[in-house]
Amino acid sequence: MKIERFTKLGFILAAAGSAVGLGNIWKFPYITGENGGGAFVIIYLLTVLLIGFSIMIAEILIGYMGRLDTVSSFEVLAPKNKNIWKFGGFQGLAGLFIMIFYSVVIGWIFNYIVTSITSLPSTVEEAESIFSNMLHTEFLTQLLYHTLAFFWITYVLNKGLKGGIEKMNMFLMPALMIILLGMFSYATTLGAFSQAFEFMFYPDWSKIDSGAFVVAVGHAFFTLSLGMGAIMTYSASLEKNSNILKNAFWVVLLDTSIAIIAGLMLFTFLYEYGSIPSKGPGLVFISLPAVFYEMGVLGNFFSIIFFIALAFAGLTSSVSLVEPMVQYFIDRFRWSRLKASISMGMFFWLFGIVAILSNIDGFKESLAWGGKNFFDWVDYVTAAIMLPLGGLVMAIFVGFIIPKSQVESILKPQLKWAFAPWYFSLRYLTPIAMFIVMLSLVGII
Ligand code: TRP
């Protein structure tokens, strides 16, 4: 049984801490770059508003009404067929799977904090070879930092909801925002800021195809932490009579603003210092360090605080990826928090090692199937199948299974006129969108 409760601010910061992660600062800028800028940003903002926001409200609602771990919440709330609906709660597994590569990437970030202190690459080529050396040859370095991430995350989870998760978010989230806003203010004084602004907000529709829509929906889910019960598990610890709409609004607003701020700042730096924005995941690990080098001493300083902020963003998201399964074992099997945290931690730590190996020369050949290595497979299966499926299940569960009268009695007073459009979006728009995304990501359409 849950007894710990978040404070009001604690919940918003923890949920925002979950949402604001590597997705906002590492992934959003590079997929914006890959998909041509402004037009993609507009599609992304629309999907966040129309689909992400609706599911956010639905996911908070399930947790708030169920008050338990994800599996039990589905079971308690389903009026009939409880034994089938409870499987909806196993979406929490997706979080553990995501952690397999998430923790490895946090390890890279730790490594970059350390190398920012000692030396920065002087050219993009050098930066590229440093990154690819780390990825393909430095097994022990990656293992060391991945293990550090494991210890940190497990430690915080073991401290519990208030003493661990809430406390960490209360410190790290403000710190993260201060760092990003500070660097962003500096970026606004540079000449290239208007160029970055134009790139991100002036749509060139010729650069958009149906693939961009799919990427946008998938990313809206990932960045808002939807579809695997993270937000649901946190919401089970909301005070009674909490305003679901307000909470959802703040989380979506914080997450979206931080993505936009990070994007504008990074593109300003890239344009100002003449680096070709490298397409793909290397943006933050390759182009950016070379740009920081160009800035001189200030760049060194920026590099350190930037990677610290990125690590903070990653760590606050990580605890939310693991907490649903920790809570599951505590509620259903009466495990102690210590046992649950260590077991779940060991799971992603061990498979994380396989993920590291799957990039290392000499091992990668045996850890790849069908053109993707283990690392990429985990990313693909979670993002393409598990999260949209989790979202689909939640939309149907709240839209059709929980009796409308119950949903209405909680949300109508908060949503007022917007209740009907929200309910409609949940019942029809969202499931259709999810379905299209899944079909296209697995290559059927
Ligand atoms: N939202 C985080 C990010 O943007 C990642 C994340 C944390 C997540 N919890 C989640 C993604 C739950 C999906 C589901 O990096």
Side-chain angles (χ1 to χ4, degrees), residues 295-318:
M295 287 184 181
V297 182
L298 182 66
N300 249 312
F301 173 67
F302 272 179
S303 179
I304 296 168
I305 60 171
F306 174 79
F307 283 110
I308 288 180
L310 196 54
F312 286 178
L315 288 164
T316 52
S317 297
S318 298

Side-chain angles (χ1 to χ4, degrees), residues 52-364:
F53 195 28
S54 318
I55 295 264
M56 177 67 76
I57 294 175
E59 186 164 342
I60 296 181
L61 183 75
I62 301 178
Y64 176 78
M65 289 175 76
R67 315 250 100 197
L68 294 161
D69 67 281
T70 51
V71 176
S72 311
S73 288
F74 271 95
E75 197 176 44
V76 168
L77 293 177
K80 46 181 196 268
N81 300 326
K82 290 181 184 292
N83 268 331
I84 298 176
W85 277 109
K86 81 171 188 207
F87 285 101
F90 284 107
Q91 55 183 266
L93 281 171
L96 275 188
F97 293 154
I98 293 175
M99 274 310 290
I100 293 172
F101 67 89
Y102 214 82
S103 167
V104 175
V105 178
I106 293 178
W108 299 347
I109 297 166
F110 284 159
N111 185 18
Y112 269 67
I113 297 177
V114 176
T115 51
S116 306
I117 299 173
T118 51
S119 64
L120 287 172
S122 57
T123 59
V124 174
E125 291 71 38
E126 193 187 334
E128 186 141 25
S129 85
I130 290 178
F131 181 69
S132 97
N133 259 337
M134 176 191 76
L135 193 65
H136 300 305
T137 64
E138 293 173 13
F139 172 69
L140 283 179
T141 313
Q142 292 188 71
L143 177 65
L144 171 77
Y145 290 115
H146 164 59
T147 307
L148 199 66
F150 154 77
F151 274 119
W152 186 321
I153 294 158
T154 311
Y155 175 80
V156 173
L157 284 169
N158 179 47
K159 288 271 169 194
L161 196 88
K162 274 193 102 70
I165 297 177
E166 175 166 323
K167 204 164 164 193
M168 169 166 88
N169 278 292
M170 287 288 209
F171 281 107
L172 298 197
M173 286 306 285
L176 163 78
M177 289 185 225
I178 291 169
I179 294 177
L180 285 182
L181 280 177
M183 290 179 71
F184 176 75
S185 320
Y186 176 75
T188 58
T189 66
L190 299 175
F193 183 73
S194 55
Q195 223 176 327
F197 191 85
E198 219 166 275
F199 176 71
M200 278 191 68
F201 292 111
Y202 290 21
D204 173 357
W205 295 104
S206 67
K207 291 198 176 134
I208 287 291
D209 53 18
S210 65
F213 167 76
V214 173
V215 175
V217 179
H219 186 64
F221 260 75
F222 188 83
T223 188
L224 292 173
S225 293
L226 296 172
M228 58 130 297
I231 296 290
M232 193 187 297
T233 303
Y234 280 3
S235 311
S237 300
L238 271 171
E239 290 289 352
K240 273 272 167 243
N241 299 321
S242 296
N243 190 316
I244 295 178
L245 177 67
K246 249 194 209 149
N247 281 310
F249 172 79
W250 273 108
V251 177
V252 172
L253 183 74
L254 281 170
D255 185 73
T256 311
S257 342
I258 290 183
I260 300 279
I261 285 175
L264 278 173
M265 170 185 94
L266 294 184
F267 286 119
T268 304
F269 290 163
L270 293 172
Y271 282 125
E272 180 81 18
Y273 291 94
S275 164
I276 321 118
S278 82
K279 299 256 163 86
L283 186 86
V284 158
F285 292 108
I286 298 169
S287 310
L288 202 60
V291 160
F292 284 140
Y293 173 83
E294 292 290 319
M295 287 184 181
V297 182
L298 182 66
N300 249 312
F301 173 67
F302 272 179
S303 179
I304 296 168
I305 60 171
F306 174 79
F307 283 110
I308 288 180
L310 196 54
F312 286 178
L315 288 164
T316 52
S317 297
S318 298
V319 290
S320 82
L321 284 161
V322 190
E323 173 68 8
M325 289 315 285
V326 169
Q327 193 64 53
Y328 169 73
F329 280 100
I330 294 176
D331 279 357
R332 307 282 293 207
F333 296 92
R334 299 276 167 261
W335 282 14
S336 67
R337 202 164 241 287
L338 181 68
K339 181 173 170 191
S341 312
I342 294 183
S343 316
M344 298 307 108
M346 285 306 279
F347 178 89
F348 76 74
W349 183 73
L350 284 171
F351 282 102
I353 295 176
V354 181
I356 296 176
L357 284 175
S358 76
N359 282 317
I360 297 283
D361 292 336
F363 290 94
K364 60 179 178 215

